[in-house]
Amino acid sequence: MIITKDLTKTFKRRISRKEGKFEKITAVDHIDLTIKKGEIFGLIGPNGAGKTTTLKILSALITPDIGTATIDGYDVVKCADIVKNKVGLLSGEFARSLYWRLTGKQNIEFFAKLKNMWKPNERINELLELFALKQWENEHIMKYSTGMKHKLAFAIGLLNDPPVLFLDEPLTGIDPITAYELKQIIKTGFKEKTIIWASHNLYEIEEMCDRIALINYGKIVLEGEPEKLKKNYWDHTKILVISDKPHAFTSLQNMEIKGDTVEIKTDNVKKTFLEIMELTKNKNVEIKEIKTLKPSLEEIFIDGVKNV
Ligand SMILES: Nc1ncnc2c1ncn2[C@@H]1O[C@H](COP(=O)(O)OP(=O)(O)OP(=O)(O)O)[C@@H](O)[C@H]1O
Ligand SMILES: [Mg+2]
């Protein structure tokens, strides 16, 4: 559904007004991606990594310098108008372009007119219902909470029911209840849609996405299913033992002492647990805490960003 080849975008940024000096920033650096129909693809990466620029190119809002991108076979440069009809770019920031003096319904009607929609009332009602805004439709959005404005912005982005959605930090700045509502709507109502979800929030990415890519300085550093990425990162389990006498455990294999914590890498959790218990027997060793650890996306993210 979405294919990019060698996609590259460079910006010029003025670094000295006096001397008229510019620096070149490669915001998107030779990106190759293939995203299947119906997939939710997570794009993670630190600030300035190139997530929003990638989504803007794929939405036919800015053009790449090198490379190509197609949406459902349509080139984002050559067929920009078709692409614009197929994609919806939803970002939390869009809530700022709402008209404060209009009601919720007037706002959505205004954007339906801009999109030249014919008889949009049925769709508007459907969206207001979907986002639980129907009972507030005649209130001025000045009175809306941030979450309600966010949902209205989402409803507007979905007016023409695009098959491809780009969600740029879709849950940033909203409360957990609104975030939960939006996630439920996306999980249940958007099954047919192909989605790219850009975010810093690794928990929401892991919960929502089938596959993810880590982007840093415009380059894809890692790509794959979250579970597989974690398995490839380290496939063993770590057992952490916090004890008053960490040196009582030095006979264990693959152990490391860090302060009062003993970190043991193991492929057989049960066996290692029994060994730990055995070592504490009749030796007056106190275990304050014991827990197992599996790799998290956070560690993979931090490592992936560090190693570039
Ligand atoms: N219009 C522009 N002119 C100049 N530089 C730009 C422009 N748009 C983006 N950039 C630069 O390109 C790089 C990538 O920016 P982008 O907004 O795509 O990152 P991002 O991953 O979305 O970051 P964030 O997580 O902060 O939203 C940054 O260094 C940014 O400053
Ligand atoms: Mg961004």
Side-chain angles (χ1 to χ4, degrees), residues 7-18:
L7 203 65
T8 304
K9 177 78 186 173
T10 306
F11 292 113
K12 258 188 185 172
R13 192 160 50 192
R14 192 195 288 269
I15 44 172
S16 159
R17 193 171 282 276
K18 240 194 203 156

Side-chain angles (χ1 to χ4, degrees), residues 30-257:
H30 301 277
I31 284 187
D32 295 317
L33 282 177
T34 300
I35 299 166
K36 287 181 276 194
K37 187 175 185 292
E39 206 172 17
I40 305 188
F41 190 87
L43 206 51
I44 59 177
N47 288 124
K51 303 179 294 293
T52 300
T53 308
T54 306
L55 296 184
K56 282 185 178 164
I57 298 173
L58 295 178
S59 307
L61 295 177
I62 56 176
T63 51
D65 304 325
I66 306 172
T68 55
T70 56
I71 307 284
D72 202 12
Y74 294 97
D75 187 283
V76 295
V77 179
K78 291 182 199 139
C79 311
D81 287 341
I82 301 176
V83 167
K84 279 182 188 158
N85 272 320
K86 284 192 177 279
V87 309
L89 174 62
L90 310 186
S91 98
E93 280 182 20
F94 184 70
R96 284 202 225 127
S97 47
L98 297 172
Y99 290 90
W100 285 66
R101 288 171 194 285
L102 298 181
T103 66
K105 191 164 186 197
Q106 285 166 340
N107 260 287
I108 196 166
E109 282 171 348
F110 172 77
F111 283 96
K113 262 195 202 127
L114 278 188
K115 289 186 191 227
N116 287 323
M117 284 177 75
W118 195 65
K119 293 197 177 171
N121 285 346
E122 199 180 318
R123 179 70 182 150
I124 289 175
N125 276 327
E126 194 184 359
L127 287 165
L128 290 171
E129 295 279 358
L130 179 68
F131 287 100
L133 291 169
K134 188 80 189 134
Q135 56 172 316
W136 315 104
E137 65 178 13
N138 294 321
E139 293 283 353
H140 283 99
I141 64 150
M142 264 188 258
K143 293 185 192 160
Y144 278 26
S145 67
T146 308
M148 285 160 73
K149 280 186 285 217
H150 200 92
K151 288 198 283 186
L152 186 65
F154 260 56
I156 289 168
L158 288 164
L159 268 167
N160 57 336
D161 204 9
V164 177
L165 285 181
F166 300 134
L167 308 179
D168 197 0
E169 308 202 20
L171 306 180
T172 301
I174 55 173
D175 66 73
I177 297 172
T178 314
Y180 178 79
E181 278 175 20
L182 281 177
K183 283 191 288 189
Q184 288 309 109
I185 291 173
I186 293 165
K187 276 182 191 166
T188 53
F190 293 2
K191 284 208 177 96
E192 298 289 306
K193 296 193 189 295
T194 309
I195 297 175
I196 301 185
W197 185 305
S199 175
H200 302 281
N201 186 319
L202 303 176
Y203 296 103
E204 92 193 18
I205 286 280
E206 193 164 4
E207 178 187 350
M208 299 299 294
C209 299
D210 306 306
R211 266 189 320 137
I212 58 172
L214 169 60
I215 175 171
N216 195 22
Y217 293 115
K219 288 194 174 76
I220 303 280
V221 185
L222 277 172
E223 192 190 330
E225 291 166 28
E227 276 314 308
K228 281 197 185 146
L229 286 176
K230 287 195 285 185
K231 233 179 163 174
N232 291 344
Y233 190 66
W234 33 278
D235 57 0
H236 50 264
T237 302
K238 280 184 190 171
I239 299 178
L240 298 187
V241 180
I242 303 173
S243 168
D244 62 339
K245 295 193 183 75
H247 290 278
F249 301 94
T250 43
S251 61
L252 292 171
Q253 274 190 337
N254 297 319
M255 62 78 68
E256 209 180 323
I257 297 172

